[in-house]
């Protein structure tokens, strides 16, 4: 729906009239490497354990679910503690329907009219979108040409704009680049001085060798870390994200969350999946290995991949290319490979798939580079 096309009887907020629904194309019968999903289906043993658990839970669907998702949050706390050497308990975790819901709940709690959120672009485009729908003003700080953050510049932006919320995505989507923990600490320090909440979006943390910002929370209670089961746990379809934070920040989430927002089915399935974290880790290692292989192959064809700490790669088209990003995206799609045009001219983004999917992508990439010479 375009601006002014809404019927006059619909009292849609004026500031939303120009928006269109968010979403990447969902095209079937092609190799889907466009939404940073984990390409591996759940291992059979994990799927079987989930089905067994759901079979029990289904009998009680006449009742509302555990409003506070205690079992799932307790397990997620143990998972994070095992990964990061922290000592979080259930009161430091909040779970929701994907980390998108986490971000929305945070913005409802700490954003809104008269409040500003700041992020460093290019980054995850849903952050400014949720700012918009929650009536929060959005400011974009910039990244360097190599997509890294100049910390001095970022700190100046934060001090000048004095936002209520600062968003930092690491590893960053769509660039794949990560921010060092020592730099996040500097940003946390300045956020503390101006009483801003620092939201570190770590959707891809498991693919990175950098330490998690959850290790900063005991020192900086205004640091909150958003994580997801969509990527590392191969669980995008179940919709489970979670926040790791100090207790007051978690309590603020309870004020704005909907009652019974996380279904009993979701809680049960996710609790079982967390039990299998170690099994799923081997897939993460496979994907990291494939990421390095794909990046090396792209380089050999003349593309310029941005160093990635995630499960996708942003790459610049060869210098010799005469195609726009949109034309190159179509070239791949016409040959059965769906990747992502993220709106950065001269770049495209590919999600790391299975070995076979990556091979198919690289075959088209080699052809595309050859035709543009
Ligand atoms: C940086 C970032 N944050 C959050 C999300 C949302 O993940 P979820 O599936 O948990 O809503 C994504 C999804 O791609 C993402 O790239």
């Amino acid at each position: 729906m375009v601006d002014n096309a809404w019927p006059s009887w619909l009292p849609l907020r004026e500031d939303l009239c120009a928006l269109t629904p968010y979403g990447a194309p969902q095209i079937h019968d092609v190799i889907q490497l466009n939404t940073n999903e984990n390409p591996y289906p759940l291992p059979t043993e994990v799927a079987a354990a989930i089905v067994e658990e759901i079979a029990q839970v289904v009998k009680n669907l006449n009742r509302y679910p555990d409003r506070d998702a205690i079992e799932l949050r307790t397990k997620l706390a143990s998972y994070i503690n095992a990964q990061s050497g922290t000592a979080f308990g259930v009161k430091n975790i909040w779970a929701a329907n994907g980390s998108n819901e986490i971000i929305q709940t945070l913005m409802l709690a700490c954003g809104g009219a008269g409040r500003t959120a700041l992020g460093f672009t290019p980054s995850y485009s849903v952050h400014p979108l949720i700012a918009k729908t929650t009536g929060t003003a959005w400011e974009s700080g910039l990244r360097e040409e190599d997509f890294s953050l100049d910390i001095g510049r970022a700190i100046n932006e934060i001090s000048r704009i004095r936002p209520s919320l600062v968003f930092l995505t690491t590893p960053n989507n769509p660039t794949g680049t990560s921010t060092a923990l020592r730099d996040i600490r500097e940003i946390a320090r300045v956020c503390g001085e101006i009483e801003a909440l620092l939201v570190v979006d770590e959707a891809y943390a498991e693919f990175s060798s950098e330490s998690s910002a959850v290790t900063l929370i005991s020192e900086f209670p205004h640091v909150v870390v958003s994580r997801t089961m969509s990527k590392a746990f191969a669980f995008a379809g179940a919709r489970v994200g979670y926040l790791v934070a100090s207790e007051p920040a978690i309590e603020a989430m309870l004020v704005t969350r909907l009652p019974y927002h996380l279904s009993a089915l979701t809680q049960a399935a996710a609790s079982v999946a967390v039990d299998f974290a170690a099994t799923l880790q081997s897939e993460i290692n496979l994907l990291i290995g494939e990421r390095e292989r794909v990046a090396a192959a792209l380089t050999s064809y003349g593309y310029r991949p941005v160093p990635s700490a995630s499960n996708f790669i942003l790459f610049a088209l060869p210098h010799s290319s005469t195609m726009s990003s949109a034309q190159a995206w179509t070239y791949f799609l016409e040959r059965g490979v769906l990747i992502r045009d993220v709106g950065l001219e001269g770049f495209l983004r590919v999600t790391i798939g299975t070995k076979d999917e990556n091979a198919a992508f690289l075959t088209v990439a080699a052809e595309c580079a050859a035709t543009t010479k």
Side-chain angles (χ1 to χ4, degrees), residues 22 35-36 97-101 103 123-124 126-127 169-173 201-204 226-231 235-236 239-242 312 349:
Y22 172 88
T35 50
N36 299 344
N97 295 284
S99 52
N100 285 338
E101 192 185 37
I103 293 159
S123 191
Y124 185 45
V126 171
H127 296 157
T169 307
T170 182
N172 185 43
N173 181 12
D201 185 333
E202 288 192 353
Y204 303 95
S226 164
R227 306 277 293 241
T228 182
M229 292 183 69
S230 294
K231 320 291 176 178
F235 224 51
R239 311 301 302 126
V240 183
Y242 54 103
F312 57 87
R349 192 194 72 191

Side-chain angles (χ1 to χ4, degrees), residues 267-298:
Q267 291 186 37
S271 291
V272 175
V274 179
D275 289 340
F276 285 91
T279 309
L280 295 165
Q281 182 64 45
S282 63
E283 292 181 346
I284 296 172
N285 294 339
L286 274 178
L287 289 170
I288 292 172
E290 279 294 287
R291 176 185 78 203
E292 298 311 309
R293 192 178 74 81
V294 170
L298 282 173

Side-chain angles (χ1 to χ4, degrees), residues 7 10 16 46 65-66 82 117-119 123 125 157 168 216-217 226 230 237 247 251 268 312 330 333 343:
L10 185 72
L16 299 184
V46 185
D66 174 4
L118 166 70
S123 191
S125 58
E157 291 286 61
L168 179 60
L216 299 177
I217 294 171
S226 164
S230 294
E247 287 187 32
E251 276 165 32
F312 57 87
T330 305
L333 184 59

Side-chain angles (χ1 to χ4, degrees), residues 337-357:
V337 181
L338 177 61
I339 56 174
R340 190 76 167 258
D341 178 357
V342 293
L344 284 173
E345 193 42 57
F347 289 87
L348 288 170
R349 192 194 72 191
V350 63
T351 304
I352 301 303
T354 61
K355 256 187 179 355
D356 287 351
E357 289 171 337

